[in-house]
Amino acid sequence: MTADTRTSLLQAAERAARRRGYDGFSFAHLAADVGIRKASIHHHFPTKPALALALVKNYRAEMTVALDAISERHATAAEQLRALVAHYRAALMDGEGLCLCVALSVSREALRDDVAEEIACFRADVIRWLSGVFAHDGHAEGRALTAARAALALLEGAQLAARCARNPRPFDDATAQFARQAARLTG
């Protein structure tokens, strides 16, 4: 199995997990999607939990790159927060999907502890970045952390509402007030 096949498997698994959650896909689904035999998947991912861990690690690395890019491209806290909202909105796939970590969290009981821990690390990374954005805007450290946690909860909850409706409008409605507050930030 080539690295391209491994990448194709990871992409197919991410699409499936983001649309149907952890319990909503199997190796048989992935094999059909990628066009390989189910047994071939086990070469790189011996188990579904091993695949889930690889997915979250990849997603976490991609988010780190995205957050760094937002920081580099946008000078002010307001611009950075608007860019993050846009990033989470894009993850909705027009109301048909969720951020991978949100999608997997819905099935927490089915996840192995190392997968859940990687999701927790993903969230900690985003909260740390958001805290820096809020601190850059002059929030005291404790206030910045509280604002960061609230912002992430809003983004994730708004995604769930939009996914349930299969329409991004609930996300837009839920994040509109946050966007207005972000526009008032000075830093």
Side-chain angles (χ1 to χ4, degrees):
M1 182 176 296
T2 67
D4 289 337
T5 302
R6 185 179 195 281
T7 299
S8 294
L9 284 168
L10 284 168
Q11 290 169 344
E14 182 180 331
R15 280 190 309 272
R18 289 178 59 198
R19 283 191 164 98
R20 296 186 299 272
Y22 182 77
D23 297 324
F25 74 95
S26 67
F27 277 15
H29 292 118
L30 298 179
D33 191 17
V34 175
I36 61 173
R37 294 176 336 161
K38 185 172 104 171
S40 298
I41 297 172
H42 294 281
H43 176 72
H44 284 288
F45 307 108
T47 64
K48 191 173 178 181
L51 172 61
L53 183 60
L55 282 173
V56 177
K57 284 184 177 193
N58 274 0
Y59 200 71
R60 184 177 173 205
E62 289 169 2
M63 182 56 117
T64 298
V65 169
L67 294 175
D68 288 346
I70 289 171
S71 294
E72 289 174 18
R73 288 187 193 126
H74 304 283
T76 69
E79 292 168 344
Q80 291 171 358
L81 292 173
R82 283 192 300 272
L84 183 65
V85 170
H87 183 83
Y88 269 81
R89 189 186 192 289
L92 278 173
M93 303 182 295
D94 292 325
E96 295 296 321
L98 296 165
C99 159
L100 179 66
C101 290
V102 173
L104 293 179
S105 293
V106 173
S107 301
R108 170 56 183 104
E109 290 75 23
L111 300 178
R112 215 168 53 189
D113 286 344
D114 58 346
V115 176
E117 179 60 32
E118 193 67 24
I119 291 170
C121 290
F122 171 92
R123 285 198 175 102
D125 292 346
V126 176
I127 288 170
R128 189 172 21 263
W129 182 86
L130 278 164
S131 292
V133 171
F134 286 116
H136 177 72
D137 187 56
H139 285 69
E141 184 176 332
R143 241 179 92 219
L145 180 59
T146 299
R149 288 178 177 150
L152 183 58
L154 171 70
L155 292 169
E156 291 180 340
Q159 277 198 339
L160 287 168
R163 175 64 180 103
C164 187
R166 292 185 172 216
N167 183 330
R169 179 69 189 259
F171 180 88
D172 296 338
D173 292 345
T175 59
Q177 176 64 29
F178 179 73
R180 283 190 293 278
Q181 289 173 328
R184 291 192 295 267
L185 295 178
T186 59

